[in-house]
């Protein structure tokens, strides 16, 4: 597959650097996370979060901090797409053997067509595809973004709801009644994006949780 080809090419061209701090680590260390970062990245094991502000429920793997911020920046904007695999690895460890995590489909938060063309990939889809390999739950890009919204990180918190309201639709001809769906995204911020994705899926009869790699907010447990 073209994706695997590009991934392998990137591994050849770039030396192995820690996914989190960017430090060069041993060539044969397939983990790509240095020993310092394994100790310093705040990972939530076995946690189920409830966002009382908008009713979202689900899982986050790590608390957002400066290390995570720069890592996600390199992943999204510097083409370090292989990071998706390492994020998914950490995410899987957080929900492995947790009976509250159950799904028929992993559904990535969609990005708008032109943005995907420009960036070359949808970061949430890459994470969902990698997580799918660990969980053996199929990844399904059943949601579409029907307009180009502003980046949630570039606007004020209270404007974020309006920005993504009604921005998502379910692809035509899909029957998801009674299905358990987990929405996948890279970062949990205001929760508005997850909320409006969730609403579309719930209106079509699905039960919906979310799972993001990182969370900026302290959510209730
Ligand atoms: Zn590191």
């Amino acid at each position: 597959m073209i994706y695997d080809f590009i991934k392998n090419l990137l591994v050849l061209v770039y030396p192995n650097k820690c996914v989190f701090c960017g430090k060069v680590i041993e060539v044969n260390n397939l983990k790509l996370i240095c020993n310092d970062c394994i100790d310093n990245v705040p990972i939530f094991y076995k946690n189920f979060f409830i966002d009382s502000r908008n009713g979202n429920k689900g899982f986050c793997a790590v608390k957002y901090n400066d290390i995570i911020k720069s890592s996600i920046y390199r992943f999204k904007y510097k083409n370090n797409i292989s990071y998706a695999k390492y994020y998914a690895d950490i995410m899987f460890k957080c929900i492995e053997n947790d009976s509250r995590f159950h799904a028929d489909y992993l559904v990535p938060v969609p990005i708008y067509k032109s943005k995907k063309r420009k960036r070359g990939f949808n970061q949430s889809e890459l994470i969902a595809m990698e997580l799918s390999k660990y969980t053996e739950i199929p990844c399904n890009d059943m949601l579409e973004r029907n307009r180009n919204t502003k980046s949630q990180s570039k606007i004020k918190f209270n404007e974020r709801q309006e920005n993504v309201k009604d921005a998502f639709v379910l692809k035509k001809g899909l029957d998801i009644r009674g299905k358990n769906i987990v929405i996948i995204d890279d970062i949990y911020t205001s929760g508005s994006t997850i909320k409006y994705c969730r609403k579309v899926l719930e209106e079509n009869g699905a039960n919906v949780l979310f799972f993001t790699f990182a969370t900026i907010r302290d959510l209730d447990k």
Side-chain angles (χ1 to χ4, degrees):
M1 268 171 31
I2 192 87
Y3 170 66
D4 287 328
F5 173 74
I6 294 167
K7 205 167 67 175
N8 291 336
L9 201 67
L10 284 169
V11 170
L12 284 177
V13 174
Y14 296 101
N16 287 337
K17 290 182 179 171
C18 172
V19 167
F20 293 115
C21 67
K23 210 162 63 187
V24 176
I25 48 179
E26 281 175 46
V27 177
N28 288 326
N29 184 347
L30 292 172
K31 280 220 160 309
L32 283 199
I33 297 168
C34 78
N35 290 335
D36 290 342
C37 286
I38 285 201
D39 295 336
N40 292 330
V41 170
I43 301 177
F44 305 119
Y45 292 106
K46 291 252 174 200
N47 272 313
F48 185 76
F49 295 96
I50 297 165
D51 184 350
S52 47
R53 206 184 284 178
N54 51 37
N56 298 328
K57 291 176 188 168
F59 307 84
C60 309
V62 300
K63 179 81 174 96
Y64 191 81
N65 60 15
D66 285 345
I67 296 174
I68 305 293
K69 184 181 176 183
S70 60
S71 177
I72 290 178
Y73 180 82
R74 293 195 302 275
F75 170 54
K76 275 161 88 164
Y77 304 109
K78 299 287 176 190
N79 265 315
N80 287 288
I81 56 173
S82 64
Y83 285 18
K85 182 178 157 196
Y86 302 99
Y87 296 165
D89 183 44
I90 293 169
M91 289 168 82
F92 182 62
K93 288 188 175 78
C94 294
I95 51 92
E96 203 179 3
N97 305 320
D98 190 332
S99 60
R100 293 167 298 186
F101 186 91
H102 51 91
D104 298 301
Y105 300 111
L106 303 177
V107 175
V109 168
I111 59 174
Y112 194 62
K113 293 189 284 287
S114 60
K115 197 185 264 183
K116 187 171 176 179
R117 222 177 295 128
K118 198 170 151 205
R119 190 179 293 167
F121 57 90
N122 170 1
Q123 72 279 2
S124 306
E125 194 177 354
L126 293 185
I127 294 172
M129 278 161 54
E130 294 296 338
L131 193 60
S132 171
K133 292 180 194 166
Y134 286 96
T135 57
E136 297 181 346
I137 298 165
C139 168
N140 189 318
D141 59 344
M142 63 177 70
L143 288 176
E144 273 175 343
R145 203 179 274 245
N146 58 12
R147 57 188 165 85
N148 199 5
T149 51
K150 291 179 210 158
S151 171
Q152 290 287 79
S153 59
K154 292 193 178 113
I155 54 172
K156 290 195 192 100
F157 236 64
N158 54 6
E159 290 169 4
R160 291 184 183 183
Q161 292 257 2
E162 272 309 305
N163 186 43
V164 289
K165 193 170 183 274
D166 305 323
F168 305 101
V169 286
L170 182 68
K171 284 183 181 171
K172 287 202 171 60
L174 291 172
D175 184 359
I176 55 167
R177 277 174 296 179
K179 297 292 182 195
N180 296 308
I181 289 174
V182 176
I183 300 170
I184 307 292
D185 207 356
D186 53 347
I187 312 172
Y188 195 95
T189 50
S190 71
S192 304
T193 302
I194 300 283
K195 176 184 167 182
Y196 287 106
C197 286
R198 176 170 66 79
K199 282 196 168 270
V200 169
L201 297 169
E202 283 177 349
E203 278 162 16
N204 283 277
N207 310 305
V208 187
L209 297 174
F210 71 85
F211 193 7
T212 64
F213 170 59
T215 176
I216 287 181
R217 284 175 47 210
D218 290 315
L219 298 168
D220 300 327
K221 286 173 194 159

